[in-house]
Amino acid sequence: MKVIILENYRSSENCYIVYDENTMDGVVIDPGYDADGIKERADREGINIKYIMVTHCHYDHIQYLEEIRTLTGAPLAAGKWASINIGDPDINLTYAGLGREISAKPAEKILLDNEEFYAGNLCVKCIYTPGHTNCGTCFIIGGAVFSGDTLFLRNCGRWDLPTGNQAQLENSIRTRLYTLDDDLIVYPGHDNSTSIGYEKKFNFIVPEK
């Protein structure tokens, strides 16, 4: 498995292209990076985008969602609540963040909690991690977890936005993420990568109990 990080420097959001280096089948996670740039990088590397995925509904993670769906023809795979919230500007905060409303279409593939599916040879496991929003979802692929705004390097997502809940977020981190393998690399929605083991020891906001 290979991971390409595309950072939108205006929002400091990490968009990921994850692919199998043998089949060159891959996925795009959180298309908050310019769609033409995502498509150009995928084409340059010879990556066939099988799915687009979102970890949650906020504007900086879905800004170019509809554009990359059109450019690649790839379906969106998302959790139930994320599929709903990306179409609600009052929850996805697109007007507040972008000055315009985005109402994205629902996902073609609704992912259940703990569901595993394949994008080519890539096995993706979806785990629900509400708290930053009620639609928080993390994706485990190979030796990595793509955590969106649930877990950051020594930090975690805020909970004071629509559908956020502090107790729910802390519970998601402790019971859904900290129970994973310590060696699992964490690729967050913002900032640098980390690991589950490191965050259990050194996270400032949600230390392991």
Side-chain angles (χ1 to χ4, degrees):
M1 181 190 81
K2 298 289 187 181
V3 179
I4 296 171
I5 305 171
L6 300 172
E7 182 182 358
N8 181 331
Y9 293 107
R10 292 186 177 182
S11 61
S12 298
E13 187 266 349
N14 294 327
C15 168
Y16 297 99
I17 303 175
V18 187
Y19 67 99
D20 180 280
E21 62 269 41
N22 295 314
T23 64
M24 300 306 292
D25 291 331
V27 297
V28 172
I29 301 176
D30 286 350
Y33 187 86
D34 176 70
D36 289 329
I38 297 172
K39 182 67 163 57
E40 187 277 331
R41 183 62 183 272
D43 288 347
R44 189 197 327 160
E45 302 291 342
I47 302 166
N48 178 30
I49 301 300
K50 304 296 257 183
Y51 284 99
I52 301 158
M53 294 141 60
V54 293
T55 59
H56 65 292
C57 63
H58 284 157
Y59 75 93
D60 48 337
H61 296 258
I62 68 166
Q63 183 174 354
Y64 297 97
L65 172 57
E66 292 306 307
E67 289 90 338
I68 197 62
R69 281 168 110 168
T70 298
L71 284 175
T72 64
L76 173 64
K80 177 180 70 173
W81 286 108
S83 178
I84 294 170
N85 291 350
I86 59 175
D88 187 339
D90 290 331
I91 296 177
N92 66 34
L93 303 178
T94 51
Y95 187 80
L98 301 174
R100 58 188 174 89
E101 293 186 353
I102 292 178
S103 180
K105 296 178 294 186
E108 286 85 359
K109 182 176 181 64
I110 301 296
L111 300 173
L112 303 177
D113 188 24
N114 292 315
E115 179 176 353
E116 293 185 356
F117 72 102
Y118 280 85
N121 280 358
L122 279 181
C123 181
V124 180
K125 182 174 182 179
C126 166
I127 56 173
Y128 284 6
T129 54
H132 173 61
T133 65
N134 68 347
C135 67
T137 306
C138 295
F139 300 108
I140 301 172
I141 309 175
V145 56
F146 296 84
S147 63
D149 286 5
T150 297
L151 184 64
F152 299 138
L153 174 64
R154 298 188 297 274
N155 207 335
C156 68
R158 56 192 292 184
W159 50 77
D160 59 337
L161 298 172
T163 78
N165 182 289
Q166 180 180 1
Q168 203 172 41
L169 178 61
E170 291 178 355
N171 182 68
S172 289
I173 292 170
R174 289 195 173 106
T175 67
R176 304 310 307 273
L177 297 183
Y178 285 177
T179 55
L180 299 174
D181 190 325
D182 282 356
D183 293 333
L184 216 60
I185 299 170
V186 177
Y187 288 104
H190 304 269
D191 208 350
N192 296 322
S193 61
T194 179
S195 71
I196 293 295
Y198 184 90
E199 294 310 310
K200 286 164 66 174
K201 292 180 180 178
F202 301 115
N203 193 284
F204 296 142
I205 310 300
V206 189
E208 184 184 30
K209 285 186 175 178

